[in-house]
Amino acid sequence: MNKPDNKELIFIPLPSGIGNVIPMVETAKTLANHHRSLSITVLITTLTSISVPELAAYTENLFAAASEPSQRIKFIDLSKQDGYDSSAETDPGMLESLFIETQKPLVRSVVAELTRSTQVVGFVVDMFCTAMMDVADEFGVPSYVYYASGAAYLGLLFHFQALRDENGVDPTEFANDSVTEFSVPSFLQSVPATSLPEVLVLKDWAPLLLDHTKRTREAKGIIVNSFTELESHALKALSTDSKIPPFYPVGPVVRFSSLCGTTEFADVSKWLDAQPLSSVVFLCFGSMGSFREAQLKEIACALDHSGVRFLWSLRKSPPDTCSNPRDFLPSEFFDRTVERGKVTGWVPQPNVLAHPAIGGFVSHCGWNSILESIWFGVPVATWPVYSEQHLNAFQLVKELGLAVEIKLDYKSYFYRELSDEECVVRGEVIEGGIRCLMEQGSEIRKRVKDLSEKSKMAILKGGSSYSFMDSFINDVIENCT
């Protein structure tokens, strides 16, 4: 029997992480537009117990757009087809792993149906969905892993996975180590234990993380949301390791929010329009980044004393969450900053960073936030909170010289029970970082502006990321001929 002319890639994003889902889906859209003979089906699963509201809004928009017949990318909602009970598990890492296992029969059924009318040529699975490689093997097609974080971080994971499996090294032994430094091939400088990702040193998370990393070695290739001009050393180190699959850096993936027409953002946008060029520092700590009251008061104190114009996207930590900042921040803070500051709830971060009034970004250093800040040429002051953000902050400040340090080793215990041990960064430290960040004409600001231009060139025809996109598609097409 002749093979169908149209070739189909199956994308399987993470069911709960908006920082993983959006760049993967946006990359899928770019791929579908890049080659006329390639179509993509994205299988959306949603683990609502640990996802964020912004993810639900994003996926709803995807399904609405899927009705447009002209698109060569479609979305299938698997979340309404399963009956998984997530109440039995409380550990997020274990919950995601068990959930993904339950999705295998659904994925198998959907792909079997697709093979009736199209030639399925491969799976692209999220870095935490490597179990789906089993289903790809059943259909005799290759698997590619989509890596939503940086190449240097993945290099560190490969390094520690090898140390664990070949030398018996347990990374959790370094959880409270403030002295040891590690020589990692994907980094030019030694990495201190204090910058290791919290997920790598916690006993509940480290085995899952390193097992996914080990499975990634079996992939046909790795797509990474980065670009050569940003991580040249890390990508070169990975490409010379024969035990690591080929890399395809296709970033930066930057998406403007379709939710920017909300009343709240319209108010923010109007306020920004009235501010001078590059005068506003933007504070935002991601979809899950939040602080307890004591820390929020220190931030308010720093903004008050700095005299800098600011836009603060504020979230308060549970269990004492409160939606109105005036209920827990000093009233005099609002009185003294009313002419130069604005405190708001969630805002579409890329849209804010794109505004010409924004001159600096106090960030948790999530990888997407880093790429967005570079794309828009906005320098960062680092304040990592959870996941791999501490390593990202170390990379930005110490490795690449692209950011100002507020804190590199802040401990929020995001993956643990909240406790009184959570550290508080004092207002004077925050104020000093903000003042340094907003200094006009600084070398960091110049380097970020230069890299911003390079990031835009990378995705254009002839650019590094565009070429890697071509290489990936050629590998997929050649595999199925």
Side-chain angles (χ1 to χ4, degrees):
M1 187 192 318
N2 293 330
K3 296 180 180 179
D5 290 334
N6 50 322
K7 298 169 176 59
E8 194 91 12
L9 272 175
I10 309 298
F11 270 61
I12 305 178
L14 187 70
S16 60
I18 190 169
N20 291 53
V21 174
I22 289 180
M24 188 172 184
V25 170
E26 296 303 315
T27 298
K29 292 179 180 178
T30 302
L31 276 169
N33 292 327
H34 207 80
H35 201 285
R36 292 184 177 277
S37 67
L38 189 66
S39 298
I40 294 174
T41 295
V42 183
L43 305 183
I44 299 291
T45 60
T46 305
L47 190 50
T48 55
S49 60
I50 56 174
S51 63
V52 295
E54 292 87 350
L55 179 57
Y58 177 72
T59 54
E60 286 177 11
N61 284 344
L62 291 180
F63 297 130
S67 60
E68 299 176 16
S70 61
Q71 293 189 347
R72 284 183 292 104
I73 180 170
K74 59 179 178 288
F75 302 91
I76 297 179
D77 186 2
L78 298 185
S79 60
K80 296 179 181 179
Q81 302 179 39
D82 70 79
Y84 182 68
D85 179 14
S86 63
S87 60
E89 286 289 338
T90 56
D91 177 74
M94 184 60 68
L95 178 58
E96 282 182 346
S97 296
L98 293 175
F99 178 75
I100 290 165
E101 285 293 332
T102 69
Q103 301 300 293
K104 284 183 178 180
L106 288 172
V107 172
R108 189 180 298 114
S109 175
V110 168
V111 175
E113 182 64 29
L114 286 171
T115 59
R116 297 175 182 271
S117 57
T118 187
Q119 182 185 3
V120 173
V121 295
F123 279 37
V124 179
V125 303
D126 180 84
M127 54 194 276
F128 292 111
C129 296
T130 58
M132 287 298 178
M133 294 168 67
D134 296 335
V135 183
D137 291 343
E138 293 175 20
F139 286 92
V141 297
S143 295
Y144 300 87
V145 173
Y146 188 93
Y147 201 77
S149 297
Y153 172 42
L154 181 53
L156 180 132
L157 292 184
F158 278 130
H159 181 71
F160 273 92
Q161 178 260 315
L163 287 178
R164 181 196 67 171
D165 295 341
E166 298 172 12
N167 300 313
V169 174
D170 180 2
T172 64
E173 294 177 357
F174 305 103
N176 299 305
D177 189 329
S178 59
V179 177
T180 304
E181 295 187 346
F182 304 93
S183 178
V184 180
S186 58
F187 284 84
L188 285 166
Q189 299 192 37
S190 295
V191 178
T194 53
S195 291
L196 292 180
E198 191 175 15
V199 286
L200 184 60
V201 297
L202 293 178
K203 292 188 180 297
D204 290 338
W205 281 87
L208 293 170
L209 185 64
L210 295 183
D211 286 347
H212 283 302
T213 304
K214 183 177 182 179
R215 191 70 195 273
T216 298
R217 291 184 185 271
E218 302 173 22
K220 185 77 161 43
I222 302 171
I223 304 173
V224 61
N225 185 16
S226 187
F227 59 105
T228 302
E229 291 79 2
L230 174 63
E231 293 196 281
S232 57
H233 172 77
L235 289 165
K236 183 177 180 180
L238 291 165
S239 67
T240 56
D241 188 333
S242 60
K243 296 181 180 179
I244 296 176
F247 261 75
Y248 300 96
V250 299
V253 178
V254 176
R255 170 188 175 269
F256 284 89
S257 174
S258 60
L259 304 177
C260 61
T262 62
T263 302
E264 185 173 23
F265 182 70
D267 183 46
V268 169
S269 182
K270 182 178 179 181
W271 182 84
L272 285 172
D273 289 344
Q275 308 309 313
L277 184 71
S278 299
S279 66
V280 177
V281 61
F282 175 44
L283 298 89
C284 184
F285 298 89
S287 59
M288 294 186 287
S290 58
F291 297 106
R292 301 171 86 176
E293 190 169 312
Q295 184 62 80
L296 294 174
K297 288 180 177 179
E298 293 293 331
I299 296 174
C301 180
L303 292 172
D304 186 359
H305 291 168
S306 71
V308 173
R309 298 172 189 269
F310 66 88
L311 174 65
W312 183 7
S313 177
L314 187 153
R315 291 172 186 257
K316 194 163 180 277
S317 293
D320 52 351
T321 301
C322 181
S323 59
N324 187 355
R326 291 184 177 272
D327 290 341
F328 53 85
L329 291 178
S331 59
E332 52 268 28
F333 162 70
F334 293 99
D335 295 339
R336 285 196 291 262
T337 62
V338 65
E339 298 295 330
R340 61 177 175 86
K342 189 171 186 63
V343 180
T344 183
W346 179 88
V347 289
Q349 182 174 285
N351 302 69
V352 171
L353 291 172
H355 198 284
I358 299 297
F361 181 24
V362 177
S363 172
H364 65 309
C365 297
W367 190 248
N368 292 321
S369 296
I370 290 172
L371 294 180
E372 289 164 5
S373 69
I374 290 171
W375 179 268
F376 296 113
V378 179
V380 166
T382 62
W383 192 336
V385 181
Y386 58 91
S387 193
E388 90 287 10
Q389 295 162 11
H390 298 83
L391 191 73
N392 293 344
F394 169 81
Q395 184 181 6
L396 278 183
V397 174
K398 303 296 186 181
E399 188 90 354
L400 301 175
L402 292 172
V404 172
E405 175 185 352
I406 288 181
K407 194 73 174 172
L408 291 183
D409 58 353
Y410 176 80
K411 300 301 181 186
S412 69
Y413 301 98
F414 180 83
Y415 293 98
R416 317 177 196 187
E417 292 292 330
L418 284 172
S419 71
D420 293 335
E421 296 177 10
E422 187 166 353
C423 70
V424 174
V425 183
R426 296 303 173 191
E428 55 266 26
V429 175
I430 304 168
E431 180 186 349
I434 289 174
R435 288 182 181 276
C436 184
L437 173 68
M438 297 303 288
E439 181 184 339
Q440 299 299 317
S442 67
E443 284 303 312
I444 287 176
R445 188 173 294 274
K446 292 175 183 177
R447 283 195 287 270
V448 172
K449 291 291 185 183
D450 178 62
L451 194 56
S452 173
E453 295 304 313
K454 291 178 179 177
S455 73
K456 294 177 174 66
M457 295 297 295
I459 63 171
L460 297 178
K461 189 171 184 178
S464 60
S465 296
Y466 189 99
S467 298
F468 274 110
M469 186 81 74
D470 272 345
S471 297
F472 170 73
I473 292 172
N474 289 338
D475 186 79
V476 170
I477 300 299
E478 289 173 6
N479 180 71
C480 63
T481 54

